[in-house]
Amino acid sequence: MSLDVVAPLLLDDKLDLYRSQFALRQFEKRAYDLFLENYVKGTSHLSIGQEAIAAGVARAMRPDDWTFATYRGHAHTLARGVPMAPVFAELMGRANGLMAGKGGSMHLTSVEHGVMGSYAIIGAHLPIACGAAWSAQYRGTDQVAVCFFGDGSTNIGAFHEALNFAAIWKLPVIFFCENNLWMEYTRTTEVTAVANPAADRASAYGLESIIVDGNDADEVYAVTAACVARARAGEGPSMIEAKTYRHGGHSRADPGKYRPDEEVAEWLAKDPIPRYHQRLLAEGASEAQLVEIERAVNEAVDVATEEAKAGAVPGEDLLMKDVWANGGAEWRN
Amino acid sequence: MSLDVVAPLLLDDKLDLYRSQFALRQFEKRAYDLFLENYVKGTSHLSIGQEAIAAGVARAMRPDDWTFATYRGHAHTLARGVPMAPVFAELMGRANGLMAGKGGSMHLTSVEHGVMGSYAIIGAHLPIACGAAWSAQYRGTDQVAVCFFGDGSTNIGAFHEALNFAAIWKLPVIFFCENNLWMEYTRTTEVTAVANPAADRASAYGLESIIVDGNDADEVYAVTAACVARARAGEGPSMIEAKTYRHGGHSRADPGKYRPDEEVAEWLAKDPIPRYHQRLLAEGASEAQLVEIERAVNEAVDVATEEAKAGAVPGEDLLMKDVWANGGAEWRN
Amino acid sequence: MAQLTYREAIARGIAQEMRRDESVVFLGEDIAAAGGVFKGTVGLLEEFGPVRVRDTPISEQAILGAAMGAAMTGLRPIAEIMFADFFAVCWDIVVNEIAKSRYMTNGQMTFPLVIRSGNGGGLRFGAQHSQSVENWAMMVPGLKVVVPSTPLDVIGLMAASIRDNDPVIFLEEKALYATKGEVPDGDVVDTLGSAKVLRQGSNATLIALGNMVPRAQLAAEELASAGIDCTVVDVRSLVPLDTQTILREVSATGRMFTVEENPRLCGWGGELASIVADEIFYDLDGPIVRITTPHIPLPAADALEDLAIPSVTRIVETVQKSMNS
Amino acid sequence: MAQLTYREAIARGIAQEMRRDESVVFLGEDIAAAGGVFKGTVGLLEEFGPVRVRDTPISEQAILGAAMGAAMTGLRPIAEIMFADFFAVCWDIVVNEIAKSRYMTNGQMTFPLVIRSGNGGGLRFGAQHSQSVENWAMMVPGLKVVVPSTPLDVIGLMAASIRDNDPVIFLEEKALYATKGEVPDGDVVDTLGSAKVLRQGSNATLIALGNMVPRAQLAAEELASAGIDCTVVDVRSLVPLDTQTILREVSATGRMFTVEENPRLCGWGGELASIVADEIFYDLDGPIVRITTPHIPLPAADALEDLAIPSVTRIVETVQKSMNS
Ligand SMILES: Cc1ncc(C[n+]2csc(CCOP(=O)(O)OP(=O)(O)O)c2C)c(N)n1
Ligand SMILES: Cc1ncc(C[n+]2csc(CCOP(=O)(O)OP(=O)(O)O)c2C)c(N)n1
Ligand SMILES: [Mg+2]
Ligand SMILES: [Mg+2]
């Protein structure tokens, strides 16, 4: 993977990337609290520990590019510029939610930000991302689609179909595997025939095997940017496997106790956010600058939480709306 | 792939292998005639040109081993020892058919011969074969399952799931890809990201890449036997890709005109049956021996055809039979 | 005016729409170079080229995923699932993704796409290539479901489906591919959600779909000569459903019979029966009777398949028996 | 006698059968070490070991293919599909392979297997994790379909399903996992295809399934105090279907109401309505009314989900309105 084509990040860009990662972290922590306080009623899957990926990838994308996320998609949605309040409100099932409460935590979507949905059935969105990429190719818009998925999702049929399909049609799509070592409660290597569930399969689709440090936003950015450039140039798809870890459990209040303490400790030591904080100081940022970023984020989280909580409870009008393109839900005359 | 463990074939074995290949050929030719004469009403998919595979693999199996075939499964069914008459009768929809006419050409099954079904939805039988292999492993019977499929079938999701599953559970199953270059009317390489659709993907499941000449029954036998030995020894699954060609069209009366003349000619020159005929002569068989085999086969085909034609038309009793294990079809009391 | 087969009408309908709208693209297995395994798409590659008419691998999830992703970003794809039975290998994309995403996103996304598929039995293809799956789709909120019974309806409903902004499951009856019918020159555009009354009678109303429509018509003729005068309604579209026409025509005769190729349980006929038994219960003069394939997988043998799928004789006998009891 | 939750009853039923029959094996995602994402299978790995209780990759086609292949060669597998919505990613194995292969092979093969799955809404999981898919399965010839509503029924019907020689789709109602009920000590074995009459009334018959059963019971109590005395039938098993009990209980009151969690079109209630409107038409005193989730994908927000799924209030009001009109 040659990174020659990629514009290096300046300090200001990096401060921005810090802000983004820190915001994702603080959002998720608040979401967890809201879950415990029973404001969030359904399920939720947090990305704490994996923020460098959503932030780094978003940085490598153009506003009119598309992301396809999973049920673990809060971070990926926010990183593209979606405001926090409607996302909090969506988790709480309020009418001011991003989808008025109809989708919920697992289906965050904001078409205006290029967030083309979060998908809760493992694998399904890989072929769908191919379709968006095909549309870009057909219309000659040079847009690119990025599709996130987990390590455990590499063993489902749709993964295979999508990879082959994207390769033969040379589609501008990037398959981004966030390998956090675990499926729900099962270690992925225990049920996967190869050590690197995505990268070791790239050759089955004629693709290069690419592995990155998923806890390093700069590296994620650079490799993604190179793949994006390749896709825009009509050179087809890429697959990236990023090594990372979720600090918490799989979903809801799962404490993740099935994981060995040493493993958790090892990865906490590689937490992308303090790491990036240190790097910024080393590269010339001041502690005061970073503290100010953190303060502003925390304030924004508080404001967004209140805004979300102030939302109305959705009613019958929303219930029976938008099954069909005409806005309605009628199946008969 | 080491072939050390494989018992070499003696001349008598080879004469038998010739008989088997010739019988498969003559059966299929008659099936084609019966289709044109409108005795065979539904569809049918012939293996003419690919006989060395069904025959060679069967030779490497024990009677209590299992085969899983596709809709192109006449040859694979007969090669395991199923008599011709009930197969002809099944194609004709008669009550004396292998499944009394209820399955048809695409679903030939003879459990008593280890022919565990022919499957007409691409890919489905790969996971099913895993299940049989799992059952052998669980019960400690050292039975092996062999699952045939085509080159075009390597791009469907079930292929991927089955390969990974077999690998992680070390199942005694052999995935046998008959690469005849074509899907129905589309060349497989045009829609596949790699040149060898099965072999180039073996590594994605931690398996060895194995390619054989599918028009050479001896080679097919030897490689399959080695994989069978490996499976019986508890060393897990294998995948074999055999290069071959169907002489005719995909199904029914398709003349296969979409294929370049030179390609057809090239493969007709590699016809496994005359090739094997020549080899036997070179290895000491007499022309008279071979002629006698051919005569006996032709006679058997004629006899079986008449026996099949004499079968009754199935009626209401069969129609409403064996949806359930109690023999009936009632869904209510 | 021309005589066209049902099979030819497919390509005609698609071509009509591809000519007027660049955003219509078409993908599927063997649909381009080969013109379709049922020869329903002959000539489209030649007219519209390989960028708009594309052969795919045997990857039904990829085919429909591609159609969905393209639809949400502004194209109007048509995807072929060769045999309707194969919906089972890509059902997730249909029911969990395409059908639900507009609702889940509170209307942020629109899915103007058509999935065409060869539906039903009669060709002796056996249990995995002969299913009538209209009910699989009708059951799922968010899908429109269309089943034409004549070449003219194929063109008009195909055009309407392609122009519609919602996902349409367009089921082509394999047993009808070879049938012929009159088709006017020029563009034909029909309306989704409109049933057709093919025959007006006074004693009973037969409600049929797809391949069962011509059988219901023939049965009605036989019944007429036996003194039972039947209305015949071609449902044409299960979603949206023209309940106005159906309720009116059942009210008028007081007796309802459905003719369904699907196996019995949870068929559209059950749904119609429940609507009728709720909304016009007091207009009914006798039992509602469903004529369906028994609840069994479809057998391959011609003799058995003919016993399984409702025949003209079975329709006639069932109606007679019920009307005379 | 013990008080058990519906969730605990799952493991109890499976364990009961695994103890008596070595050929019963169990596979699925997170079912072994983790004891299931709904904690329905806690303790099974510990008691039966990793050879009989196996975690799998996220490969639903492989899971069910493995179950099918094992069943045809002498095992009695239990497979878990975590959420019933995920049937869509392995539907081919269920409907085209498992359901049809016995028939297609003229009885050469038998498929004694159970597919368990978490079914239905109420947990605010949104449209892709909340579906009631009992009708998807009922629609397909060759599948038995069981939906228990109490811990006792979970055990007894689980045992009956495992002992049955046909494929059983065993749907566990997610909304009921936390509910409790009395369960006797010792083995419990029930009978497939038997509905239960939970309450006998004289004015109307409410027919419910799964999570709708307790709601129908509560509604019947409210209705009783409002002067409408209802029979309540728990269907328990859609295939085989206890039509004898249902027809008898509807005949007795002359009025039928179904309470269905599924979206309306082609639901089991439509099927029952059509059976009743055919076979006991003249015993009916008024319209057949279905109370269902509207024909929409299920929304995630608690307020919206509660509006969508039939509530006790909606049942009471619908019955009252219809009985008083
Ligand atoms: C088809 C399907 N099977 C199972 C599930 C249940 N499920 C949800 S998340 C998950 C684990 C996914 O692991 P991975 O892909 O590694 O992603 P991560 O959660 O670690 O981000 C499972 C099994 C599902 N949603 N869809
Ligand atoms: C899921 C599914 N998709 C499509 C088909 C239609 N179909 C039947 S055979 C075939 C081509 C298969 O090609 P290949 O795997 O190479 O096998 P071959 O016929 O050459 O033996 C196709 C597309 C099918 N049966 N199942
Ligand atoms: Mg993971
Ligand atoms: Mg082939």
Side-chain angles (χ1 to χ4, degrees):
Chain A
M1 179 92 253
S2 154
L3 303 180
D4 296 350
V5 293
V6 179
L9 295 174
L10 308 178
L11 185 58
D12 268 0
D13 301 322
K14 292 195 176 190
L15 285 169
D16 211 49
L17 205 37
Y18 182 65
R19 186 194 322 275
S20 171
Q21 293 179 79
F22 190 75
L24 302 183
R25 171 71 51 97
Q26 299 308 92
F27 179 95
E28 293 289 58
K29 286 166 95 172
R30 178 60 52 83
Y32 186 76
D33 294 342
L34 292 169
F35 180 81
L36 293 183
E37 292 163 24
N38 204 27
Y39 277 103
V40 175
K41 301 283 170 45
T43 186
S44 66
H45 304 75
L46 308 181
S47 288
I48 294 177
Q50 306 184 195
E51 298 87 346
I53 293 170
V57 170
R59 181 90 219 167
M61 297 176 73
R62 237 168 43 189
D64 66 339
D65 289 334
W66 296 305
T67 37
F68 291 81
T70 70
Y71 50 89
R72 193 182 304 290
H74 306 171
H76 310 76
T77 301
L78 296 164
R80 295 298 310 283
V82 176
M84 288 181 179
V87 181
F88 277 133
E90 186 64 31
L91 306 195
M92 296 185 205
R94 300 300 171 90
N96 56 338
L98 194 59
M99 299 94 76
K102 290 163 78 174
S105 158
M106 300 204 282
H107 298 292
L108 300 175
T109 304
S110 180
V111 171
E112 82 174 275
H113 297 91
V115 178
M116 304 306 278
S118 307
Y119 297 78
I121 309 274
I122 296 293
H125 59 312
L126 280 77
I128 301 168
C130 289
W134 172 39
S135 154
Q137 184 187 63
Y138 179 80
R139 292 177 297 127
T141 61
D142 84 358
Q143 285 161 290
V144 168
V146 176
C147 181
F148 296 97
F149 57 98
D151 41 291
S153 307
T154 59
N155 292 320
I156 201 155
F159 166 89
H160 180 66
E161 295 193 13
L163 266 289
N164 182 66
F165 195 86
I168 57 166
W169 285 18
K170 284 201 143 204
L171 297 177
V173 56
I174 292 155
F175 298 102
F176 201 109
C177 177
E178 299 186 57
N179 185 350
N180 61 10
L181 311 189
W182 291 83
M183 293 151 48
E184 303 208 339
Y185 312 116
T186 300
R187 189 184 287 286
T188 297
T189 47
E190 276 171 25
V191 293
T192 308
V194 290
N196 303 296
D200 291 350
R201 284 156 170 173
S203 69
Y205 314 102
L207 302 179
E208 189 180 340
S209 173
I210 305 175
I211 295 180
V212 304
D213 179 349
N215 284 13
D216 182 335
D218 292 344
E219 187 178 333
V220 168
Y221 158 75
V223 173
T224 307
C227 292
V228 166
R230 199 147 81 174
R232 277 206 225 293
E235 290 162 27
S238 306
M239 178 156 63
I240 301 171
E241 177 171 336
K243 304 294 188 185
T244 188
Y245 204 70
R246 57 166 151 82
H247 291 177
H250 170 70
S251 67
R252 315 183 77 191
D254 167 29
K257 285 293 177 219
Y258 39 87
R259 306 175 307 176
D261 290 343
E262 321 78 71
E263 182 180 289
V264 177
E266 177 197 330
W267 280 95
L268 282 176
K270 290 193 267 190
D271 187 333
I273 292 178
R275 233 171 128 188
Y276 208 78
H277 190 121
Q278 290 311 320
R279 181 180 300 170
L280 284 173
L281 294 179
E283 294 186 4
S286 71
E287 185 66 38
Q289 273 179 302
L290 300 183
V291 166
E292 170 52 22
I293 286 175
E294 292 169 8
R295 194 206 52 74
V297 163
N298 286 331
E299 186 180 309
V301 169
D302 287 340
V303 170
T305 306
E306 293 315 310
E307 186 182 330
K309 283 184 181 171
V313 168
E316 188 88 36
D317 52 326
L318 282 166
L319 183 74
M320 300 306 288
K321 191 169 134 333
D322 273 317
V323 173
W324 307 121
N326 69 4
E330 272 305 338
W331 49 269
R332 60 182 285 183
N333 62 7
Chain B
M1 178 92 255
S2 155
L3 303 180
D4 296 351
V5 294
V6 178
L9 294 174
L10 307 178
L11 185 57
D12 268 1
D13 301 323
K14 292 195 175 189
L15 285 169
D16 211 50
L17 206 36
Y18 183 65
R19 185 193 323 274
S20 171
Q21 292 177 80
F22 190 75
L24 302 183
R25 171 72 49 97
Q26 298 308 91
F27 179 96
E28 294 289 58
K29 286 167 97 171
R30 177 60 51 85
Y32 187 75
D33 293 342
L34 292 168
F35 179 81
L36 293 183
E37 291 163 26
N38 204 28
Y39 276 102
V40 174
K41 302 283 171 45
T43 185
S44 65
H45 304 76
L46 308 182
S47 288
I48 292 177
Q50 307 185 195
E51 297 89 346
I53 293 170
V57 170
R59 181 90 220 169
M61 297 176 74
R62 240 170 38 192
D64 67 338
D65 288 334
W66 296 307
T67 38
F68 292 81
T70 70
Y71 51 88
R72 193 182 303 289
H74 307 169
H76 311 75
T77 301
L78 296 164
R80 295 300 308 284
V82 176
M84 288 180 180
V87 181
F88 277 133
E90 187 64 30
L91 306 195
M92 295 184 207
R94 300 300 170 91
N96 57 339
L98 194 60
M99 298 94 76
K102 290 162 78 174
S105 158
M106 298 203 285
H107 298 293
L108 299 177
T109 304
S110 179
V111 171
E112 82 176 276
H113 297 91
V115 177
M116 304 306 278
S118 307
Y119 297 79
I121 310 274
I122 295 293
H125 58 312
L126 280 78
I128 301 168
C130 289
W134 173 38
S135 156
Q137 182 187 63
Y138 179 79
R139 293 179 295 125
T141 61
D142 84 359
Q143 286 161 289
V144 168
V146 177
C147 181
F148 296 97
F149 58 96
D151 42 289
S153 307
T154 59
N155 292 320
I156 200 154
F159 166 89
H160 180 66
E161 296 194 13
L163 266 290
N164 182 66
F165 195 86
I168 56 165
W169 285 17
K170 284 200 143 204
L171 298 176
V173 56
I174 292 154
F175 298 103
F176 201 109
C177 177
E178 299 185 58
N179 185 348
N180 61 11
L181 310 190
W182 290 85
M183 293 152 46
E184 303 207 343
Y185 312 117
T186 300
R187 189 185 288 284
T188 297
T189 47
E190 276 172 25
V191 293
T192 307
V194 289
N196 303 296
D200 291 349
R201 284 155 170 174
S203 70
Y205 313 103
L207 302 178
E208 190 181 336
S209 174
I210 304 175
I211 294 179
V212 303
D213 179 348
N215 283 14
D216 182 336
D218 292 345
E219 187 177 332
V220 168
Y221 158 75
V223 173
T224 307
C227 293
V228 166
R230 198 146 82 173
R232 278 206 224 293
E235 290 163 25
S238 305
M239 178 155 63
I240 301 170
E241 178 170 335
K243 304 293 190 186
T244 186
Y245 204 70
R246 57 166 152 81
H247 291 179
H250 170 70
S251 67
R252 315 183 80 193
D254 167 29
K257 286 292 176 219
Y258 38 87
R259 305 173 311 173
D261 291 343
E262 320 79 70
E263 181 180 291
V264 177
E266 177 196 330
W267 281 94
L268 283 175
K270 291 192 265 190
D271 187 334
I273 292 179
R275 233 170 128 188
Y276 208 76
H277 190 120
Q278 290 310 321
R279 180 180 303 169
L280 283 174
L281 293 179
E283 295 186 4
S286 70
E287 184 67 37
Q289 273 179 302
L290 300 182
V291 166
E292 169 51 23
I293 286 174
E294 292 169 6
R295 194 206 52 76
V297 163
N298 286 331
E299 186 180 311
V301 169
D302 286 341
V303 170
T305 306
E306 292 315 310
E307 187 182 329
K309 283 184 180 171
V313 169
E316 188 89 34
D317 52 327
L318 282 166
L319 183 74
M320 300 307 287
K321 192 169 133 333
D322 273 316
V323 172
W324 307 120
N326 70 3
E330 272 305 338
W331 50 269
R332 60 181 287 184
N333 61 9
Chain C
M1 270 297 183
Q3 279 271 105
L4 231 60
T5 58
Y6 190 97
R7 134 178 23 254
E8 288 162 343
I10 308 290
R12 160 99 176 256
I14 295 175
Q16 172 186 306
E17 295 306 302
M18 288 189 84
R19 269 175 219 135
R20 62 182 279 283
D21 186 349
E22 276 282 330
S23 68
V24 179
V25 290
F26 178 29
L27 82 170
E29 295 161 18
D30 298 308
I31 56 115
V37 299
F38 301 113
K39 298 287 168 217
T41 58
V42 173
L44 296 174
L45 172 68
E46 291 69 18
E47 179 170 355
F48 302 103
V51 172
R52 293 183 71 190
V53 179
R54 293 188 86 159
D55 282 324
T56 68
I58 309 174
S59 306
E60 279 80 3
Q61 295 188 76
I63 293 169
L64 296 192
M68 177 176 173
M72 68 166 70
T73 53
L75 300 189
R76 304 184 86 84
I78 307 170
E80 173 175 311
I81 295 300
M82 194 186 285
F83 285 74
D85 315 69
F86 308 165
F87 272 116
V89 301
C90 49
W91 201 226
D92 174 57
I93 308 285
V94 180
V95 308
N96 287 330
E97 315 301 340
I98 291 173
K100 295 179 171 46
S101 290
R102 179 176 175 80
Y103 185 80
M104 291 196 298
T105 63
N106 196 33
Q108 290 185 60
M109 289 179 170
T110 309
F111 298 95
L113 63 87
V114 176
I115 309 176
R116 309 171 35 237
S117 193
N119 191 55
L123 274 63
R124 292 72 172 95
F125 280 173
Q128 293 184 339
H129 280 68
S130 306
Q131 288 167 90
S132 278
V133 309
E134 54 274 11
N135 305 307
W136 298 16
M138 184 180 186
M139 185 173 274
V140 178
L143 301 176
K144 294 183 174 173
V145 187
V146 172
V147 192
S149 73
T150 67
L152 178 59
D153 280 3
V154 164
I155 303 175
L157 293 173
M158 178 72 80
S161 299
I162 295 171
R163 294 183 192 193
D164 198 87
N165 285 325
D166 291 309
V168 179
I169 307 296
F170 191 93
L171 298 173
E172 301 165 9
E173 300 281 88
K174 295 200 293 290
L176 296 179
Y177 273 130
T179 58
K180 288 194 173 175
E182 291 284 320
V183 173
D185 300 331
D187 282 9
V188 181
V189 186
D190 205 327
T191 310
L192 301 188
S194 58
K196 253 190 199 163
V197 181
L198 301 178
R199 188 182 196 290
Q200 204 95 34
S202 53
N203 301 128
T205 302
L206 312 187
I207 301 181
L209 183 79
N211 185 28
M212 295 298 100
V213 172
R215 297 189 187 191
Q217 287 179 289
L218 288 172
E221 280 168 33
E222 279 193 38
L223 285 162
S225 38
I228 302 176
D229 189 17
C230 294
T231 294
V232 176
V233 178
D234 180 353
V235 182
R236 303 203 317 153
S237 158
L238 291 171
V239 181
L241 184 67
D242 184 358
T243 49
Q244 285 178 8
T245 299
I246 292 163
L247 292 170
R248 185 186 67 226
E249 296 303 326
V250 174
S251 280
T253 65
R255 290 300 305 272
M256 163 169 161
F257 296 83
T258 64
V259 191
E260 309 169 52
E261 182 171 328
N262 47 265
R264 161 142 193 156
L265 296 184
C266 296
W268 55 264
E271 184 60 44
L272 291 198
S274 76
I275 295 169
V276 163
D278 179 357
E279 301 181 22
I280 54 168
F281 177 77
Y282 297 103
D283 296 345
L284 289 174
D285 297 329
I288 297 171
V289 178
R290 294 172 59 198
I291 302 160
T292 77
T293 291
H295 204 64
I296 58 171
L298 218 52
D302 50 347
L304 292 173
E305 193 180 35
D306 287 343
L307 284 172
I309 300 177
S311 61
V312 174
T313 310
R314 179 138 69 94
I315 301 169
V316 169
E317 287 172 2
T318 308
V319 174
Q320 272 182 322
K321 194 167 152 228
S322 177
M323 296 297 288
N324 300 335
S325 74
Chain D
M1 269 299 184
Q3 278 270 104
L4 230 60
T5 59
Y6 188 98
R7 132 178 27 251
E8 288 162 342
I10 308 289
R12 161 99 177 258
I14 295 175
Q16 172 186 305
E17 295 307 302
M18 288 190 84
R19 271 176 216 132
R20 63 181 280 282
D21 186 348
E22 276 283 329
S23 68
V24 179
V25 290
F26 178 29
L27 81 170
E29 294 161 20
D30 298 309
I31 55 116
V37 298
F38 301 113
K39 297 287 169 217
T41 59
V42 173
L44 296 175
L45 173 67
E46 292 68 19
E47 179 171 355
F48 301 102
V51 172
R52 293 182 72 191
V53 180
R54 293 188 86 160
D55 281 325
T56 68
I58 308 174
S59 307
E60 279 79 4
Q61 296 187 76
I63 293 169
L64 296 192
M68 176 176 173
M72 69 165 70
T73 53
L75 300 188
R76 303 183 86 84
I78 307 170
E80 173 175 311
I81 296 299
M82 194 185 283
F83 284 74
D85 315 68
F86 307 165
F87 271 115
V89 300
C90 50
W91 201 226
D92 174 57
I93 307 284
V94 180
V95 307
N96 287 330
E97 316 300 340
I98 291 173
K100 296 182 169 44
S101 290
R102 180 177 174 78
Y103 185 79
M104 291 196 299
T105 64
N106 196 32
Q108 289 184 61
M109 289 178 170
T110 309
F111 298 96
L113 63 86
V114 176
I115 309 176
R116 310 171 34 237
S117 194
N119 192 55
L123 274 64
R124 293 68 173 97
F125 280 173
Q128 293 185 340
H129 280 66
S130 306
Q131 289 167 91
S132 278
V133 309
E134 55 273 11
N135 305 310
W136 297 17
M138 184 180 187
M139 185 174 275
V140 178
L143 300 177
K144 295 183 173 173
V145 187
V146 172
V147 192
S149 73
T150 67
L152 178 59
D153 281 3
V154 165
I155 303 175
L157 293 173
M158 178 71 80
S161 298
I162 294 172
R163 294 183 191 192
D164 198 88
N165 286 325
D166 290 310
V168 178
I169 307 296
F170 190 93
L171 297 173
E172 302 164 8
E173 300 281 89
K174 294 200 294 289
L176 296 177
Y177 273 130
T179 59
K180 287 192 173 175
E182 290 284 322
V183 173
D185 300 331
D187 281 10
V188 181
V189 187
D190 205 325
T191 311
L192 301 188
S194 58
K196 254 189 198 163
V197 181
L198 301 178
R199 189 182 196 289
Q200 205 94 37
S202 52
N203 301 128
T205 301
L206 312 188
I207 301 181
L209 184 80
N211 185 30
M212 295 299 101
V213 172
R215 297 190 187 191
Q217 287 179 287
L218 288 172
E221 282 168 35
E222 279 194 37
L223 285 162
S225 37
I228 301 177
D229 190 16
C230 292
T231 295
V232 177
V233 179
D234 180 353
V235 182
R236 302 202 319 152
S237 159
L238 292 171
V239 182
L241 184 67
D242 184 358
T243 48
Q244 285 178 9
T245 300
I246 292 163
L247 292 170
R248 186 186 67 226
E249 297 302 328
V250 174
S251 281
T253 66
R255 290 300 305 271
M256 165 169 159
F257 296 83
T258 63
V259 191
E260 310 169 51
E261 183 171 329
N262 47 265
R264 163 144 191 155
L265 295 184
C266 295
W268 57 263
E271 184 60 44
L272 291 197
S274 76
I275 294 169
V276 163
D278 180 357
E279 301 181 24
I280 54 167
F281 178 77
Y282 297 104
D283 296 344
L284 289 174
D285 298 328
I288 297 172
V289 178
R290 294 173 59 198
I291 302 159
T292 77
T293 291
H295 204 64
I296 58 171
L298 219 52
D302 50 347
L304 292 173
E305 193 180 35
D306 287 341
L307 284 173
I309 300 177
S311 62
V312 174
T313 312
R314 179 139 67 95
I315 300 169
V316 169
E317 287 173 2
T318 308
V319 174
Q320 273 182 321
K321 193 169 152 226
S322 176
M323 295 298 287
N324 299 336
S325 74

